[in-house]
PDB file of all heavy atoms in Angstrom:
ATOM      1  N   SER A 138     -28.157 -52.367 -41.219  1.00 89.00           N
ATOM      2  CA  SER A 138     -28.170 -50.927 -41.096  1.00 89.00           C
ATOM      3  C   SER A 138     -28.926 -50.442 -39.870  1.00 89.00           C
ATOM      4  O   SER A 138     -28.434 -49.506 -39.136  1.00 89.00           O
ATOM      5  CB  SER A 138     -28.852 -50.284 -42.379  1.00 89.00           C
ATOM      6  OG  SER A 138     -30.148 -50.880 -42.496  1.00 89.00           O
ATOM      7  N   GLN A 139     -29.957 -51.099 -39.495  1.00 90.00           N
ATOM      8  CA  GLN A 139     -30.751 -50.731 -38.300  1.00 90.00           C
ATOM      9  C   GLN A 139     -29.923 -51.082 -37.036  1.00 90.00           C
ATOM     10  O   GLN A 139     -29.933 -50.259 -36.080  1.00 90.00           O
ATOM     11  CB  GLN A 139     -32.050 -51.440 -38.276  1.00 90.00           C
ATOM     12  CG  GLN A 139     -32.931 -51.047 -37.080  1.00 90.00           C
ATOM     13  CD  GLN A 139     -34.323 -51.704 -37.159  1.00 90.00           C
ATOM     14  OE1 GLN A 139     -34.791 -51.989 -38.230  1.00 90.00           O
ATOM     15  NE2 GLN A 139     -34.900 -51.944 -36.002  1.00 90.00           N
ATOM     16  N   ARG A 140     -29.199 -52.205 -37.046  1.00 92.00           N
ATOM     17  CA  ARG A 140     -28.438 -52.557 -35.895  1.00 92.00           C
ATOM     18  C   ARG A 140     -27.303 -51.560 -35.660  1.00 92.00           C
ATOM     19  O   ARG A 140     -27.032 -51.086 -34.514  1.00 92.00           O
ATOM     20  CB  ARG A 140     -27.895 -53.988 -36.081  1.00 92.00           C
ATOM     21  CG  ARG A 140     -28.892 -55.060 -35.847  1.00 92.00           C
ATOM     22  CD  ARG A 140     -28.277 -56.434 -36.100  1.00 92.00           C
ATOM     23  NE  ARG A 140     -28.343 -56.807 -37.549  1.00 92.00           N
ATOM     24  CZ  ARG A 140     -27.465 -57.619 -38.149  1.00 92.00           C
ATOM     25  NH1 ARG A 140     -26.452 -58.099 -37.483  1.00 92.00           N
ATOM     26  NH2 ARG A 140     -27.642 -57.968 -39.442  1.00 92.00           N
ATOM     27  N   VAL A 141     -26.595 -51.193 -36.720  1.00 92.00           N
ATOM     28  CA  VAL A 141     -25.456 -50.278 -36.599  1.00 92.00           C
ATOM     29  C   VAL A 141     -25.968 -48.907 -36.222  1.00 92.00           C
ATOM     30  O   VAL A 141     -25.369 -48.248 -35.354  1.00 92.00           O
ATOM     31  CB  VAL A 141     -24.631 -50.211 -37.936  1.00 92.00           C
ATOM     32  CG1 VAL A 141     -23.618 -49.121 -37.842  1.00 92.00           C
ATOM     33  CG2 VAL A 141     -24.039 -51.574 -38.195  1.00 92.00           C
ATOM     34  N   GLU A 142     -27.050 -48.511 -36.760  1.00 92.00           N
ATOM     35  CA  GLU A 142     -27.629 -47.208 -36.455  1.00 92.00           C
ATOM     36  C   GLU A 142     -27.973 -47.145 -34.950  1.00 92.00           C
ATOM     37  O   GLU A 142     -27.710 -46.114 -34.315  1.00 92.00           O
ATOM     38  CB  GLU A 142     -28.843 -46.966 -37.310  1.00 92.00           C
ATOM     39  CG  GLU A 142     -29.486 -45.567 -37.099  1.00 92.00           C
ATOM     40  CD  GLU A 142     -30.663 -45.452 -38.003  1.00 92.00           C
ATOM     41  OE1 GLU A 142     -30.548 -45.692 -39.230  1.00 92.00           O
ATOM     42  OE2 GLU A 142     -31.712 -45.061 -37.525  1.00 92.00           O
ATOM     43  N   TYR A 143     -28.580 -48.167 -34.487  1.00 92.00           N
ATOM     44  CA  TYR A 143     -28.960 -48.195 -33.048  1.00 92.00           C
ATOM     45  C   TYR A 143     -27.707 -48.244 -32.171  1.00 92.00           C
ATOM     46  O   TYR A 143     -27.671 -47.587 -31.116  1.00 92.00           O
ATOM     47  CB  TYR A 143     -29.836 -49.421 -32.772  1.00 92.00           C
ATOM     48  CG  TYR A 143     -30.466 -49.415 -31.364  1.00 92.00           C
ATOM     49  CD1 TYR A 143     -31.579 -48.734 -31.066  1.00 92.00           C
ATOM     50  CD2 TYR A 143     -29.785 -50.138 -30.341  1.00 92.00           C
ATOM     51  CE1 TYR A 143     -32.105 -48.717 -29.822  1.00 92.00           C
ATOM     52  CE2 TYR A 143     -30.315 -50.136 -29.082  1.00 92.00           C
ATOM     53  CZ  TYR A 143     -31.483 -49.449 -28.794  1.00 92.00           C
ATOM     54  OH  TYR A 143     -32.010 -49.413 -27.539  1.00 92.00           O
ATOM     55  N   ALA A 144     -26.696 -48.961 -32.587  1.00 93.00           N
ATOM     56  CA  ALA A 144     -25.414 -49.025 -31.858  1.00 93.00           C
ATOM     57  C   ALA A 144     -24.795 -47.641 -31.747  1.00 93.00           C
ATOM     58  O   ALA A 144     -24.213 -47.303 -30.668  1.00 93.00           O
ATOM     59  CB  ALA A 144     -24.488 -50.042 -32.458  1.00 93.00           C
ATOM     60  N   ILE A 145     -24.865 -46.865 -32.805  1.00 94.00           N
ATOM     61  CA  ILE A 145     -24.278 -45.509 -32.803  1.00 94.00           C
ATOM     62  C   ILE A 145     -24.994 -44.694 -31.759  1.00 94.00           C
ATOM     63  O   ILE A 145     -24.400 -43.936 -30.981  1.00 94.00           O
ATOM     64  CB  ILE A 145     -24.407 -44.890 -34.207  1.00 94.00           C
ATOM     65  CG1 ILE A 145     -23.466 -45.635 -35.220  1.00 94.00           C
ATOM     66  CG2 ILE A 145     -23.961 -43.418 -34.145  1.00 94.00           C
ATOM     67  CD1 ILE A 145     -23.700 -45.185 -36.616  1.00 94.00           C
ATOM     68  N   TRP A 146     -26.327 -44.762 -31.749  1.00 92.00           N
ATOM     69  CA  TRP A 146     -27.095 -44.002 -30.785  1.00 92.00           C
ATOM     70  C   TRP A 146     -26.818 -44.411 -29.370  1.00 92.00           C
ATOM     71  O   TRP A 146     -26.593 -43.555 -28.508  1.00 92.00           O
ATOM     72  CB  TRP A 146     -28.605 -44.194 -31.049  1.00 92.00           C
ATOM     73  CG  TRP A 146     -29.438 -43.626 -29.982  1.00 92.00           C
ATOM     74  CD1 TRP A 146     -29.621 -42.310 -29.690  1.00 92.00           C
ATOM     75  CD2 TRP A 146     -30.242 -44.349 -29.016  1.00 92.00           C
ATOM     76  NE1 TRP A 146     -30.481 -42.139 -28.612  1.00 92.00           N
ATOM     77  CE2 TRP A 146     -30.850 -43.395 -28.189  1.00 92.00           C
ATOM     78  CE3 TRP A 146     -30.471 -45.675 -28.829  1.00 92.00           C
ATOM     79  CZ2 TRP A 146     -31.670 -43.763 -27.157  1.00 92.00           C
ATOM     80  CZ3 TRP A 146     -31.314 -46.051 -27.777  1.00 92.00           C
ATOM     81  CH2 TRP A 146     -31.904 -45.095 -26.955  1.00 92.00           C
ATOM     82  N   LYS A 147     -26.662 -45.729 -29.155  1.00 92.00           N
ATOM     83  CA  LYS A 147     -26.361 -46.190 -27.771  1.00 92.00           C
ATOM     84  C   LYS A 147     -24.996 -45.763 -27.312  1.00 92.00           C
ATOM     85  O   LYS A 147     -24.753 -45.427 -26.170  1.00 92.00           O
ATOM     86  CB  LYS A 147     -26.461 -47.721 -27.738  1.00 92.00           C
ATOM     87  CG  LYS A 147     -27.893 -48.255 -27.766  1.00 92.00           C
ATOM     88  CD  LYS A 147     -28.624 -47.936 -26.457  1.00 92.00           C
ATOM     89  CE  LYS A 147     -28.154 -48.816 -25.297  1.00 92.00           C
ATOM     90  NZ  LYS A 147     -28.932 -48.586 -24.074  1.00 92.00           N
ATOM     91  N   TYR A 148     -24.029 -45.804 -28.247  1.00 93.00           N
ATOM     92  CA  TYR A 148     -22.654 -45.386 -27.877  1.00 93.00           C
ATOM     93  C   TYR A 148     -22.656 -43.903 -27.580  1.00 93.00           C
ATOM     94  O   TYR A 148     -22.020 -43.462 -26.614  1.00 93.00           O
ATOM     95  CB  TYR A 148     -21.687 -45.682 -29.043  1.00 93.00           C
ATOM     96  CG  TYR A 148     -20.260 -45.419 -28.648  1.00 93.00           C
ATOM     97  CD1 TYR A 148     -19.491 -46.340 -27.936  1.00 93.00           C
ATOM     98  CD2 TYR A 148     -19.622 -44.207 -29.010  1.00 93.00           C
ATOM     99  CE1 TYR A 148     -18.227 -46.107 -27.560  1.00 93.00           C
ATOM    100  CE2 TYR A 148     -18.299 -43.950 -28.641  1.00 93.00           C
ATOM    101  CZ  TYR A 148     -17.584 -44.966 -27.915  1.00 93.00           C
ATOM    102  OH  TYR A 148     -16.291 -44.660 -27.553  1.00 93.00           O
ATOM    103  N   ARG A 149     -23.324 -43.076 -28.335  1.00 93.00           N
ATOM    104  CA  ARG A 149     -23.415 -41.677 -28.071  1.00 93.00           C
ATOM    105  C   ARG A 149     -24.036 -41.423 -26.667  1.00 93.00           C
ATOM    106  O   ARG A 149     -23.561 -40.570 -25.930  1.00 93.00           O
ATOM    107  CB  ARG A 149     -24.266 -40.956 -29.128  1.00 93.00           C
ATOM    108  CG  ARG A 149     -23.616 -40.787 -30.499  1.00 93.00           C
ATOM    109  CD  ARG A 149     -24.494 -39.958 -31.380  1.00 93.00           C
ATOM    110  NE  ARG A 149     -24.109 -39.876 -32.746  1.00 93.00           N
ATOM    111  CZ  ARG A 149     -23.228 -39.002 -33.269  1.00 93.00           C
ATOM    112  NH1 ARG A 149     -22.684 -38.113 -32.438  1.00 93.00           N
ATOM    113  NH2 ARG A 149     -22.951 -38.997 -34.525  1.00 93.00           N
ATOM    114  N   SER A 150     -25.150 -42.074 -26.379  1.00 90.00           N
ATOM    115  CA  SER A 150     -25.850 -41.802 -25.139  1.00 90.00           C
ATOM    116  C   SER A 150     -25.151 -42.340 -23.905  1.00 90.00           C
ATOM    117  O   SER A 150     -25.425 -41.891 -22.817  1.00 90.00           O
ATOM    118  CB  SER A 150     -27.277 -42.439 -25.203  1.00 90.00           C
ATOM    119  OG  SER A 150     -27.212 -43.844 -25.382  1.00 90.00           O
ATOM    120  N   ASN A 151     -24.203 -43.248 -24.103  1.00 91.00           N
ATOM    121  CA  ASN A 151     -23.468 -43.844 -22.959  1.00 91.00           C
ATOM    122  C   ASN A 151     -22.054 -43.328 -22.776  1.00 91.00           C
ATOM    123  O   ASN A 151     -21.309 -43.876 -22.021  1.00 91.00           O
ATOM    124  CB  ASN A 151     -23.493 -45.363 -23.042  1.00 91.00           C
ATOM    125  CG  ASN A 151     -24.778 -45.979 -22.577  1.00 91.00           C
ATOM    126  OD1 ASN A 151     -24.993 -46.133 -21.389  1.00 91.00           O
ATOM    127  ND2 ASN A 151     -25.661 -46.315 -23.500  1.00 91.00           N
ATOM    128  N   HIS A 152     -21.720 -42.288 -23.574  1.00 92.00           N
ATOM    129  CA  HIS A 152     -20.365 -41.774 -23.473  1.00 92.00           C
ATOM    130  C   HIS A 152     -20.389 -40.236 -23.505  1.00 92.00           C
ATOM    131  O   HIS A 152     -21.288 -39.657 -24.149  1.00 92.00           O
ATOM    132  CB  HIS A 152     -19.477 -42.330 -24.578  1.00 92.00           C
ATOM    133  CG  HIS A 152     -19.124 -43.775 -24.420  1.00 92.00           C
ATOM    134  ND1 HIS A 152     -19.999 -44.765 -24.800  1.00 92.00           N
ATOM    135  CD2 HIS A 152     -18.056 -44.394 -23.854  1.00 92.00           C
ATOM    136  CE1 HIS A 152     -19.467 -45.923 -24.538  1.00 92.00           C
ATOM    137  NE2 HIS A 152     -18.312 -45.718 -23.993  1.00 92.00           N
ATOM    138  N   LYS A 153     -19.402 -39.655 -22.888  1.00 91.00           N
ATOM    139  CA  LYS A 153     -19.315 -38.195 -22.823  1.00 91.00           C
ATOM    140  C   LYS A 153     -18.329 -37.725 -23.910  1.00 91.00           C
ATOM    141  O   LYS A 153     -17.192 -38.146 -23.940  1.00 91.00           O
ATOM    142  CB  LYS A 153     -18.796 -37.765 -21.418  1.00 91.00           C
ATOM    143  CG  LYS A 153     -18.730 -36.287 -21.250  1.00 91.00           C
ATOM    144  CD  LYS A 153     -18.553 -35.954 -19.740  1.00 91.00           C
ATOM    145  CE  LYS A 153     -17.460 -36.769 -19.094  1.00 91.00           C
ATOM    146  NZ  LYS A 153     -17.318 -36.400 -17.665  1.00 91.00           N
ATOM    147  N   PHE A 154     -18.830 -36.867 -24.792  1.00 93.00           N
ATOM    148  CA  PHE A 154     -18.050 -36.363 -25.927  1.00 93.00           C
ATOM    149  C   PHE A 154     -17.623 -34.936 -25.689  1.00 93.00           C
ATOM    150  O   PHE A 154     -18.402 -34.068 -25.289  1.00 93.00           O
ATOM    151  CB  PHE A 154     -18.881 -36.404 -27.199  1.00 93.00           C
ATOM    152  CG  PHE A 154     -19.003 -37.767 -27.872  1.00 93.00           C
ATOM    153  CD1 PHE A 154     -19.930 -38.706 -27.336  1.00 93.00           C
ATOM    154  CD2 PHE A 154     -18.215 -38.134 -28.889  1.00 93.00           C
ATOM    155  CE1 PHE A 154     -20.031 -39.929 -27.916  1.00 93.00           C
ATOM    156  CE2 PHE A 154     -18.311 -39.340 -29.518  1.00 93.00           C
ATOM    157  CZ  PHE A 154     -19.227 -40.284 -28.977  1.00 93.00           C
ATOM    158  N   THR A 155     -16.355 -34.652 -25.934  1.00 93.00           N
ATOM    159  CA  THR A 155     -15.919 -33.240 -26.048  1.00 93.00           C
ATOM    160  C   THR A 155     -16.294 -32.754 -27.498  1.00 93.00           C
ATOM    161  O   THR A 155     -16.705 -33.530 -28.321  1.00 93.00           O
ATOM    162  CB  THR A 155     -14.403 -33.120 -25.888  1.00 93.00           C
ATOM    163  OG1 THR A 155     -13.743 -33.903 -26.965  1.00 93.00           O
ATOM    164  CG2 THR A 155     -13.963 -33.663 -24.525  1.00 93.00           C
ATOM    165  N   GLU A 156     -16.222 -31.420 -27.652  1.00 94.00           N
ATOM    166  CA  GLU A 156     -16.637 -30.910 -28.940  1.00 94.00           C
ATOM    167  C   GLU A 156     -15.730 -31.457 -30.039  1.00 94.00           C
ATOM    168  O   GLU A 156     -16.177 -31.783 -31.144  1.00 94.00           O
ATOM    169  CB  GLU A 156     -16.493 -29.334 -28.886  1.00 94.00           C
ATOM    170  CG  GLU A 156     -17.575 -28.670 -28.087  1.00 94.00           C
ATOM    171  CD  GLU A 156     -18.960 -28.926 -28.629  1.00 94.00           C
ATOM    172  OE1 GLU A 156     -19.136 -29.009 -29.871  1.00 94.00           O
ATOM    173  OE2 GLU A 156     -19.915 -29.065 -27.828  1.00 94.00           O
ATOM    174  N   SER A 157     -14.406 -31.579 -29.804  1.00 94.00           N
ATOM    175  CA  SER A 157     -13.498 -32.033 -30.827  1.00 94.00           C
ATOM    176  C   SER A 157     -13.755 -33.475 -31.118  1.00 94.00           C
ATOM    177  O   SER A 157     -13.727 -33.911 -32.310  1.00 94.00           O
ATOM    178  CB  SER A 157     -12.063 -31.806 -30.431  1.00 94.00           C
ATOM    179  OG  SER A 157     -11.779 -32.538 -29.212  1.00 94.00           O
TER     180      SER A 157
END
Side-chain angles (χ1 to χ4, degrees):
S138 56
Q139 183 175 331
R140 284 177 273 152
V141 173
E142 183 179 311
Y143 187 83
I145 294 171
W146 170 68
K147 286 290 287 185
Y148 186 80
R149 286 185 188 274
S150 61
N151 279 279
H152 290 82
K153 182 165 50 178
F154 282 80
T155 61
E156 289 298 325
S157 60

